[in-house]
């Protein structure tokens, strides 16, 4: 493989090394498949409808020129659906799917939470009393001298009701800035129930139902809000109570964290109830002894994708890599088992595992993969389930066959910047506060705040989009908040340690990071934890001095390497919460100018935030900075105002 | 802890001694490094912290940018 071509696949050396190893081992991986299978140009821009058996109908734009009115009139499906209807239906179905994924994750957490509160799920318990009390205060649940478990039962029941709620609005909407809540109500997008919005979107996109693209996109907004301020937020909050609210923790990331002499157990997916229990049981002396009896020196638990972020933040467990590295971990030849639950798990893992000795173990009955070993993870018997999974991995240690090569790349990082921790770090235990952040934004040391989130996408150079964007932002004094695979890209490049501030950040941002002792890029968790960014933004608003709504803040969002439907749902709830949000790679409504204009322009008038598409990450960063500057100007803080200390002579002059 | 002291000259004054930055010794290590929530022990302390530290939502006297008579 030519040097240039290998670099184009990834900017991460560990990844480049393993792509090469896969090729010499004759093992097919995603990077290779992407070369032979190109994306369908009609589907990519939302111009293909397969919602009924009279189709699929493809309604592509003419290539390289404006379409004539006659051509536009003809661009319809068999049923007469216009290109606008088709693009909007496809777009809001993506939102519905993403919101359903996050919502179902939240539902499962609520179920385990309630069972734990009732004492029916041994191994799980209330770990963070403070977060429990916080939710009780918020949801109007009596605290008095009730036990944590009694309070938790009430919280769990209320949380479960949010999914099936039929009317009114989701409880967590009350957390948003007051002005934002009023806007949602005025525009009729305050979601009623997590499930209801998803179901209604699926109904309205069925053949022959909602055929007005603006009306469809309106429902898309409501569905996305039921994710960000509903399903995702419920998941984050209940996980914090069960497993602890993240606080700063040091760890390491990249394939170099795998250990040749130990049983490498990779845990991949999204829901932390599995990973948490594996993390606890893997330390059990009985398990370690069993691993040693097979000739290894112990058990090395390593995370992959979002579940990795969860156990990193709460236990400091190292991360093997992000989305596009899942197959490559197996290619090292050193992984005994990759244990998966739901979301972002490539079916290709099973094929890659066949080239080596690795066992792919599925654990969730709703996510089986043909050819994988299935061991159901039973939350009601979690310890025993975790033990069987770990034993299966240990038993596989003696089956190592092919040459093992672990790339020697790993980087240190600090993670665990939940909203609560940022608030504490900025203000201290006695007056936790966002004031120092707001003050430094007002005085211009920090230009603004950006959320850079999302996936990897094999259609662009792995990690390059994230890194180019994040570096450009911090160089321009923008504090960056990250989650998901995007956070991992920055961590691998050494941007998530305090020293990175001096090396990469602009002078103003670096001085604040040094004073507080934080990196210029803050790891806030998994993708489900984007809800933490919404809360951080709300805290900035509520602290004062930066307007009275999220749309007033000098802030922007981005997903430069997005690929999943969840990313579209996340982007849409950020836009509807007032954030300018730019996506890279590709844009799924380009097949309709009207739909795209509505998302990119009209939404700014409606929500104060809007979508944008820019595949060049540096250009996209500049769009974000421009937006931040526009907001600074509107707030009247566009010129840095240095404080002048007046001496007596100056005072006299004033008089 | 060793204090770093440097001498600086202030205008219209003799040389003065300035106490430099102080850091706790060593690198924080282990699973508990960075954990701050454990500093709050009793339920009363936790509730007090919520009312004060998370006053944006749970404080009785906090309005910030949102001071208004009618609730949203
Ligand atoms: S719903 Fe209409 S546009 Fe879609 S496949 Fe059927 S006929 Fe074609």
């Amino acid at each position: 493989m030519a040097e240039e071509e290998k670099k184009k696949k990834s900017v991460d050396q560990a990844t480049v090394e393993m792509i090469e190893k896969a090729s010499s081992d004759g093992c097919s991986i995603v990077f290779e498949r992407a070369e032979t299978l190109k994306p369908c140009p009609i589907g990519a821009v939302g111009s293909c409808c397969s919602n009924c058996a009279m189709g699929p109908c493809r309604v592509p734009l003419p290539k390289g020129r404006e379409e004539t009115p006659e051509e536009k009139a003809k661009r319809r499906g068999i049923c007469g659906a216009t290109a606008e209807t088709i693009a909007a239906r496809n777009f809001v179905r993506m939102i519905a799917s993403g919101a359903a994924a996050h919502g179902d994750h939240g539902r499962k957490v609520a179920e385990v939470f309630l069972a734990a509160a009732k004492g029916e799920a041994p191994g799980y318990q209330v770990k963070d009393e403070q977060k429990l009390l916080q939710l009780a205060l918020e949801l109007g649940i009596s605290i008095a001298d009730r036990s944590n478990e009694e309070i938790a039962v009430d919280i769990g029941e209320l949380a479960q009701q949010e999914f099936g709620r039929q009317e009114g609005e989701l409880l967590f909407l009350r957390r948003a800035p007051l002005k934002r809540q009023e806007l949602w109500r005025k525009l009729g997008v305050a979601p009623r129930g997590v499930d209801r919005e998803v179901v209604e979107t699926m109904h309205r996109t069925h053949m022959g139902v909602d055929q007005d693209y603006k009306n469809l996109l309106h429902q898309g907004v409501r569905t996305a809000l039921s994710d960000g301020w509903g399903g995702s937020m419920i998941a984050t909050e209940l996980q914090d109570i069960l497993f602890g609210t993240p606080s700063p923790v040091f760890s390491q990331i990249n394939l170099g964290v795998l250990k040749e002499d130990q049983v490498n157990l990779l845990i991949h997916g999204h829901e932390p109830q599995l990973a948490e229990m594996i993390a606890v049981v893997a330390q059990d002396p009985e398990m370690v002894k069993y691993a040693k009896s097979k000739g290894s020196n112990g058990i090395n638990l390593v995370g992959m994708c979002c579940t990795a972020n969860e156990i990193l933040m709460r236990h400091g467990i190292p991360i093997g890599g992000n989305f596009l590295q899942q197959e490559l971990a197996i290619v090292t030849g050193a992984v005994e088992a990759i244990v998966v639950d739901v979301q972002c798990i490539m079916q290709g893992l099973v094929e890659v595992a066949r080239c080596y000795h690795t066992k792919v173990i599925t654990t969730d009955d709703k996510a089986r993969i043909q050819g994988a070993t299935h061991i159901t993870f039973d939350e009601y018997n979690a310890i025993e389930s975790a033990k069987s999974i770990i034993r299966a991995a240990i038993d596989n240690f003696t089956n190592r066959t092919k040459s093992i090569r672990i790339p020697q790349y790993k980087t240190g990082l600090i993670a665990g910047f939940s909203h609560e921790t940022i608030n504490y770090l900025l203000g201290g235990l006695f007056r936790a506060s966002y004031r120092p952040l707001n003050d430094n934004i007002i005085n211009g040391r920090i230009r603004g705040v950006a959320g850079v989130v999302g996936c990897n996408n094999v259609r662009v150079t792995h990690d390059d989009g994230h890194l180019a964007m994040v570096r450009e932002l911090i160089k321009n004094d923008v504090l960056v908040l990250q989650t998901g695979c995007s956070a991992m890209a920055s961590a691998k490049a050494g941007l998530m340690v305090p020293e990175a501030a001096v090396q990469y950040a602009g002078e103003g941002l670096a001085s604040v990071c040094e004073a507080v002792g934080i990196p210029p890029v803050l790891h806030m968790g998994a993708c489900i934890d984007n809800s933490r960014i919404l809360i951080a933004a709300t805290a900035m608003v509520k602290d004062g001095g930066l307007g009275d709504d999220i749309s007033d803040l000098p802030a922007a969002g981005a997903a430069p390497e997005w690929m999943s439907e969840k990313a579209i749902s996340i982007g849409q709830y950020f836009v509807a919460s007032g954030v300018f949000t730019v996506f890279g790679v590709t844009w799924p409504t380009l097949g309709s100018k009207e739909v795209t204009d509505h998302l990119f322009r009209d939404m700014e008038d409606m929500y104060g935030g809007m979508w944008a598409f820019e595949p060049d990450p540096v250009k996209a960063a500049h769009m974000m900075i421009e937006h931040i500057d526009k907001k600074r100007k509107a707030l009247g803080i566009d010129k840095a105002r240095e404080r002048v200390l007046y001496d007596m002579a100056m005072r006299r002059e004033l008089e | 802890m060793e204090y770093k002291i440097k001498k600086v000259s202030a205008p219209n004054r003799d040389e003065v001694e300035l106490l430099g930055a102080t850091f706790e010794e060593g690198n924080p290590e282990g699973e508990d490094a960075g954990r701050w929530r454990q500093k709050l022990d009793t339920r009363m302390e936790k509730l007090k912290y919520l009312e004060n530290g998370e006053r944006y939502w749970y404080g009785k006297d906090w309005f910030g940018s949102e001071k208004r008579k009618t609730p949203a």
Side-chain angles (χ1 to χ4, degrees), chain A residues 565-605:
Chain A
E565 292 166 316
K566 290 181 292 174
I568 291 289
S569 179
I570 293 166
Q572 185 62 78
Y573 72 64
F574 268 97
V575 167
S577 300
V579 182
F580 168 70
T581 304
V582 51
F583 270 36
V585 191
T586 180
W587 185 253
T589 68
L590 290 177
S592 163
K593 191 176 169 309
E594 286 84 347
V595 171
T596 307
D597 279 352
H598 191 66
L599 296 168
F600 288 21
R601 295 207 184 95
D602 302 351
M603 282 203 174
E604 184 171 31
D605 298 332

Short mmCIF file of all heavy atoms in Angstrom, two decimals, chain A residues 565-605:
data_model
loop_
_atom_site.label_atom_id
_atom_site.label_comp_id
_atom_site.label_asym_id
_atom_site.label_seq_id
_atom_site.Cartn_x
_atom_site.Cartn_y
_atom_site.Cartn_z
N GLU A 565 -27.25 7.54 12.71
CA GLU A 565 -28.52 8.26 12.81
C GLU A 565 -28.64 8.97 14.16
O GLU A 565 -29.30 10.00 14.27
CB GLU A 565 -29.68 7.27 12.62
CG GLU A 565 -29.73 6.74 11.19
CD GLU A 565 -30.63 5.52 11.02
OE1 GLU A 565 -30.58 4.61 11.87
OE2 GLU A 565 -31.38 5.46 10.05
N LYS A 566 -27.97 8.42 15.17
CA LYS A 566 -27.98 9.08 16.47
C LYS A 566 -27.37 10.47 16.37
O LYS A 566 -27.80 11.40 17.04
CB LYS A 566 -27.18 8.25 17.49
CG LYS A 566 -27.83 6.95 17.88
CD LYS A 566 -26.99 6.19 18.90
CE LYS A 566 -25.70 5.68 18.30
NZ LYS A 566 -24.80 5.06 19.27
N ALA A 567 -26.35 10.60 15.51
CA ALA A 567 -25.69 11.90 15.37
C ALA A 567 -26.66 12.94 14.82
O ALA A 567 -26.64 14.11 15.22
CB ALA A 567 -24.47 11.78 14.46
N ILE A 568 -27.54 12.51 13.90
CA ILE A 568 -28.52 13.44 13.34
C ILE A 568 -29.51 13.87 14.42
O ILE A 568 -29.86 15.05 14.52
CB ILE A 568 -29.25 12.80 12.13
CG1 ILE A 568 -28.29 12.63 10.96
CG2 ILE A 568 -30.46 13.62 11.71
CD1 ILE A 568 -27.86 13.91 10.26
N SER A 569 -29.91 12.94 15.24
CA SER A 569 -30.83 13.29 16.33
C SER A 569 -30.14 14.27 17.29
O SER A 569 -30.73 15.27 17.71
CB SER A 569 -31.27 12.01 17.07
OG SER A 569 -32.12 12.34 18.13
N ILE A 570 -28.89 13.98 17.62
CA ILE A 570 -28.14 14.86 18.52
C ILE A 570 -28.01 16.26 17.90
O ILE A 570 -28.28 17.28 18.55
CB ILE A 570 -26.73 14.28 18.82
CG1 ILE A 570 -26.85 12.99 19.64
CG2 ILE A 570 -25.85 15.30 19.54
CD1 ILE A 570 -25.57 12.16 19.70
N GLY A 571 -27.61 16.29 16.63
CA GLY A 571 -27.45 17.60 15.97
C GLY A 571 -28.75 18.38 15.99
O GLY A 571 -28.78 19.57 16.27
N GLN A 572 -29.86 17.67 15.75
CA GLN A 572 -31.15 18.37 15.69
C GLN A 572 -31.57 18.89 17.07
O GLN A 572 -32.15 19.95 17.18
CB GLN A 572 -32.23 17.46 15.09
CG GLN A 572 -33.55 18.15 14.89
CD GLN A 572 -33.47 19.31 13.91
OE1 GLN A 572 -33.43 19.14 12.71
NE2 GLN A 572 -33.42 20.54 14.44
N TYR A 573 -31.27 18.13 18.13
CA TYR A 573 -31.66 18.69 19.45
C TYR A 573 -30.75 19.82 19.85
O TYR A 573 -31.16 20.71 20.58
CB TYR A 573 -31.89 17.62 20.53
CG TYR A 573 -30.74 16.86 21.14
CD1 TYR A 573 -29.75 17.48 21.89
CD2 TYR A 573 -30.69 15.46 21.05
CE1 TYR A 573 -28.73 16.75 22.49
CE2 TYR A 573 -29.67 14.73 21.65
CZ TYR A 573 -28.70 15.38 22.37
OH TYR A 573 -27.69 14.67 22.96
N PHE A 574 -29.51 19.82 19.38
CA PHE A 574 -28.66 20.99 19.64
C PHE A 574 -29.19 22.21 18.89
O PHE A 574 -29.30 23.30 19.46
CB PHE A 574 -27.20 20.70 19.27
CG PHE A 574 -26.42 20.17 20.43
CD1 PHE A 574 -26.21 18.82 20.59
CD2 PHE A 574 -25.93 21.03 21.39
CE1 PHE A 574 -25.54 18.32 21.69
CE2 PHE A 574 -25.24 20.55 22.50
CZ PHE A 574 -25.05 19.19 22.64
N VAL A 575 -29.54 22.03 17.61
CA VAL A 575 -30.07 23.15 16.82
C VAL A 575 -31.34 23.69 17.51
O VAL A 575 -31.49 24.90 17.69
CB VAL A 575 -30.36 22.69 15.37
CG1 VAL A 575 -31.20 23.71 14.63
CG2 VAL A 575 -29.06 22.43 14.63
N ALA A 576 -32.24 22.79 17.89
CA ALA A 576 -33.50 23.22 18.50
C ALA A 576 -33.30 23.80 19.90
O ALA A 576 -34.18 24.47 20.43
CB ALA A 576 -34.47 22.05 18.56
N SER A 577 -32.12 23.57 20.47
CA SER A 577 -31.82 24.18 21.77
C SER A 577 -31.11 25.52 21.58
O SER A 577 -30.75 26.17 22.56
CB SER A 577 -30.95 23.23 22.62
OG SER A 577 -31.62 22.01 22.82
N GLY A 578 -30.87 25.89 20.31
CA GLY A 578 -30.31 27.21 20.03
C GLY A 578 -28.85 27.22 19.62
O GLY A 578 -28.20 28.27 19.66
N VAL A 579 -28.31 26.07 19.21
CA VAL A 579 -26.88 26.00 18.91
C VAL A 579 -26.65 25.89 17.39
O VAL A 579 -27.29 25.07 16.72
CB VAL A 579 -26.23 24.78 19.61
CG1 VAL A 579 -24.73 24.74 19.34
CG2 VAL A 579 -26.50 24.81 21.11
N PHE A 580 -25.73 26.71 16.88
CA PHE A 580 -25.28 26.58 15.49
C PHE A 580 -24.47 25.28 15.40
O PHE A 580 -23.50 25.10 16.13
CB PHE A 580 -24.41 27.79 15.12
CG PHE A 580 -23.67 27.63 13.83
CD1 PHE A 580 -24.34 27.63 12.62
CD2 PHE A 580 -22.29 27.48 13.81
CE1 PHE A 580 -23.66 27.48 11.42
CE2 PHE A 580 -21.60 27.33 12.62
CZ PHE A 580 -22.28 27.33 11.43
N THR A 581 -24.87 24.39 14.50
CA THR A 581 -24.27 23.05 14.47
C THR A 581 -23.83 22.67 13.06
O THR A 581 -24.65 22.65 12.14
CB THR A 581 -25.31 22.01 14.99
OG1 THR A 581 -25.73 22.42 16.29
CG2 THR A 581 -24.72 20.62 15.07
N VAL A 582 -22.53 22.40 12.90
CA VAL A 582 -22.02 22.09 11.57
C VAL A 582 -21.55 20.64 11.49
O VAL A 582 -20.84 20.16 12.36
CB VAL A 582 -20.91 23.12 11.15
CG1 VAL A 582 -19.84 23.28 12.19
CG2 VAL A 582 -20.28 22.76 9.82
N PHE A 583 -21.99 19.96 10.44
CA PHE A 583 -21.63 18.57 10.22
C PHE A 583 -20.67 18.47 9.02
O PHE A 583 -20.76 19.26 8.09
CB PHE A 583 -22.88 17.72 9.94
CG PHE A 583 -23.50 17.14 11.20
CD1 PHE A 583 -23.52 17.85 12.39
CD2 PHE A 583 -24.07 15.87 11.19
CE1 PHE A 583 -24.09 17.32 13.55
CE2 PHE A 583 -24.65 15.32 12.34
CZ PHE A 583 -24.65 16.04 13.53
N GLY A 584 -19.81 17.46 9.06
CA GLY A 584 -18.88 17.22 7.95
C GLY A 584 -19.31 16.02 7.13
O GLY A 584 -20.45 15.57 7.20
N VAL A 585 -18.41 15.48 6.34
CA VAL A 585 -18.54 14.27 5.52
C VAL A 585 -19.56 14.39 4.39
O VAL A 585 -19.22 14.45 3.22
CB VAL A 585 -18.89 13.00 6.35
CG1 VAL A 585 -18.75 11.75 5.48
CG2 VAL A 585 -18.02 12.88 7.58
N THR A 586 -20.84 14.41 4.74
CA THR A 586 -21.90 14.40 3.73
C THR A 586 -23.14 14.99 4.38
O THR A 586 -23.21 15.07 5.60
CB THR A 586 -22.15 12.94 3.28
OG1 THR A 586 -23.17 12.93 2.29
CG2 THR A 586 -22.59 12.04 4.42
N TRP A 587 -24.10 15.39 3.54
CA TRP A 587 -25.32 15.93 4.14
C TRP A 587 -26.55 15.27 3.53
O TRP A 587 -26.74 15.30 2.31
CB TRP A 587 -25.37 17.46 4.01
CG TRP A 587 -26.58 17.95 4.74
CD1 TRP A 587 -27.72 18.42 4.18
CD2 TRP A 587 -26.79 17.92 6.14
NE1 TRP A 587 -28.63 18.68 5.17
CE2 TRP A 587 -28.09 18.39 6.39
CE3 TRP A 587 -26.01 17.53 7.24
CZ2 TRP A 587 -28.62 18.47 7.67
CZ3 TRP A 587 -26.55 17.61 8.51
CH2 TRP A 587 -27.84 18.10 8.71
N PRO A 588 -27.43 14.67 4.35
CA PRO A 588 -28.46 13.79 3.81
C PRO A 588 -29.70 14.46 3.21
O PRO A 588 -30.65 13.75 2.88
CB PRO A 588 -28.85 12.95 5.03
CG PRO A 588 -28.56 13.81 6.20
CD PRO A 588 -27.39 14.66 5.82
N THR A 589 -29.72 15.79 3.05
CA THR A 589 -30.90 16.39 2.40
C THR A 589 -30.52 17.22 1.18
O THR A 589 -31.33 18.00 0.68
CB THR A 589 -31.70 17.31 3.36
OG1 THR A 589 -30.90 18.46 3.65
CG2 THR A 589 -32.07 16.62 4.65
N LEU A 590 -29.29 17.05 0.71
CA LEU A 590 -28.85 17.89 -0.41
C LEU A 590 -29.68 17.67 -1.67
O LEU A 590 -29.65 18.48 -2.60
CB LEU A 590 -27.36 17.67 -0.71
CG LEU A 590 -26.39 18.20 0.36
CD1 LEU A 590 -24.95 17.86 0.01
CD2 LEU A 590 -26.54 19.71 0.56
N GLY A 591 -30.44 16.59 -1.71
CA GLY A 591 -31.31 16.32 -2.85
C GLY A 591 -32.49 17.28 -2.93
O GLY A 591 -33.19 17.33 -3.95
N SER A 592 -32.71 18.04 -1.87
CA SER A 592 -33.78 19.03 -1.92
C SER A 592 -33.28 20.36 -1.36
O SER A 592 -32.94 20.47 -0.18
CB SER A 592 -34.99 18.56 -1.09
OG SER A 592 -35.82 19.68 -0.82
N LYS A 593 -33.28 21.37 -2.22
CA LYS A 593 -32.80 22.69 -1.82
C LYS A 593 -33.73 23.27 -0.74
O LYS A 593 -33.28 23.87 0.23
CB LYS A 593 -32.80 23.60 -3.06
CG LYS A 593 -32.09 24.90 -2.85
CD LYS A 593 -32.04 25.69 -4.15
CE LYS A 593 -31.57 27.11 -3.94
NZ LYS A 593 -32.26 27.83 -2.90
N GLU A 594 -35.03 23.07 -0.92
CA GLU A 594 -36.00 23.63 0.03
C GLU A 594 -35.80 23.06 1.43
O GLU A 594 -35.79 23.81 2.41
CB GLU A 594 -37.45 23.35 -0.42
CG GLU A 594 -37.92 24.19 -1.59
CD GLU A 594 -37.49 23.61 -2.95
OE1 GLU A 594 -36.63 22.70 -2.97
OE2 GLU A 594 -38.01 24.07 -3.97
N VAL A 595 -35.65 21.74 1.51
CA VAL A 595 -35.47 21.10 2.82
C VAL A 595 -34.16 21.59 3.45
O VAL A 595 -34.11 21.96 4.63
CB VAL A 595 -35.48 19.56 2.70
CG1 VAL A 595 -35.08 18.89 4.00
CG2 VAL A 595 -36.86 19.09 2.27
N THR A 596 -33.12 21.63 2.64
CA THR A 596 -31.81 22.06 3.15
C THR A 596 -31.87 23.52 3.62
O THR A 596 -31.36 23.85 4.69
CB THR A 596 -30.73 21.86 2.06
OG1 THR A 596 -30.81 20.50 1.62
CG2 THR A 596 -29.34 22.12 2.60
N ASP A 597 -32.52 24.37 2.83
CA ASP A 597 -32.65 25.78 3.23
C ASP A 597 -33.42 25.92 4.54
O ASP A 597 -33.10 26.76 5.37
CB ASP A 597 -33.38 26.60 2.15
CG ASP A 597 -32.43 26.98 1.02
OD1 ASP A 597 -31.22 26.74 1.18
OD2 ASP A 597 -32.90 27.50 -0.01
N HIS A 598 -34.44 25.11 4.69
CA HIS A 598 -35.23 25.18 5.91
C HIS A 598 -34.35 24.84 7.14
O HIS A 598 -34.41 25.51 8.16
CB HIS A 598 -36.42 24.22 5.84
CG HIS A 598 -37.42 24.42 6.94
ND1 HIS A 598 -38.19 25.56 7.05
CD2 HIS A 598 -37.77 23.63 7.99
CE1 HIS A 598 -38.96 25.46 8.12
NE2 HIS A 598 -38.73 24.29 8.71
N LEU A 599 -33.52 23.82 6.96
CA LEU A 599 -32.65 23.40 8.07
C LEU A 599 -31.51 24.41 8.30
O LEU A 599 -31.12 24.68 9.44
CB LEU A 599 -32.03 22.03 7.78
CG LEU A 599 -33.00 20.85 7.67
CD1 LEU A 599 -32.29 19.62 7.08
CD2 LEU A 599 -33.59 20.50 9.03
N PHE A 600 -30.98 24.93 7.21
CA PHE A 600 -29.78 25.78 7.29
C PHE A 600 -30.11 27.26 7.54
O PHE A 600 -29.26 28.01 8.00
CB PHE A 600 -28.95 25.67 6.01
CG PHE A 600 -28.22 24.36 5.84
CD1 PHE A 600 -28.62 23.21 6.50
CD2 PHE A 600 -27.11 24.26 5.01
CE1 PHE A 600 -27.96 22.00 6.34
CE2 PHE A 600 -26.43 23.05 4.84
CZ PHE A 600 -26.87 21.92 5.50
N ARG A 601 -31.32 27.70 7.14
CA ARG A 601 -31.64 29.13 7.30
C ARG A 601 -32.86 29.37 8.17
O ARG A 601 -32.77 30.04 9.19
CB ARG A 601 -31.90 29.76 5.92
CG ARG A 601 -30.66 29.73 5.08
CD ARG A 601 -30.59 30.82 4.05
NE ARG A 601 -29.38 30.55 3.29
CZ ARG A 601 -29.35 29.87 2.16
NH1 ARG A 601 -30.47 29.45 1.63
NH2 ARG A 601 -28.22 29.64 1.53
N ASP A 602 -34.00 28.82 7.75
CA ASP A 602 -35.24 29.13 8.49
C ASP A 602 -35.13 28.78 9.97
O ASP A 602 -35.69 29.45 10.82
CB ASP A 602 -36.44 28.35 7.90
CG ASP A 602 -36.64 28.65 6.43
OD1 ASP A 602 -35.98 29.58 5.92
OD2 ASP A 602 -37.45 27.95 5.78
N MET A 603 -34.40 27.70 10.25
CA MET A 603 -34.33 27.28 11.67
C MET A 603 -33.65 28.32 12.54
O MET A 603 -33.93 28.39 13.72
CB MET A 603 -33.64 25.91 11.78
CG MET A 603 -34.59 24.79 11.40
SD MET A 603 -34.18 23.20 12.09
CE MET A 603 -35.62 22.25 11.54
N GLU A 604 -32.78 29.12 11.96
CA GLU A 604 -32.14 30.17 12.77
C GLU A 604 -33.19 31.17 13.25
O GLU A 604 -33.18 31.60 14.40
CB GLU A 604 -31.03 30.89 12.01
CG GLU A 604 -30.34 31.88 12.96
CD GLU A 604 -29.08 32.52 12.43
OE1 GLU A 604 -28.99 32.71 11.20
OE2 GLU A 604 -28.21 32.84 13.25
N ASP A 605 -34.11 31.54 12.36
CA ASP A 605 -35.17 32.47 12.78
C ASP A 605 -36.09 31.83 13.81
O ASP A 605 -36.61 32.48 14.70
CB ASP A 605 -36.03 32.88 11.56
CG ASP A 605 -35.18 33.61 10.54
OD1 ASP A 605 -34.19 34.24 10.95
OD2 ASP A 605 -35.50 33.54 9.33
#
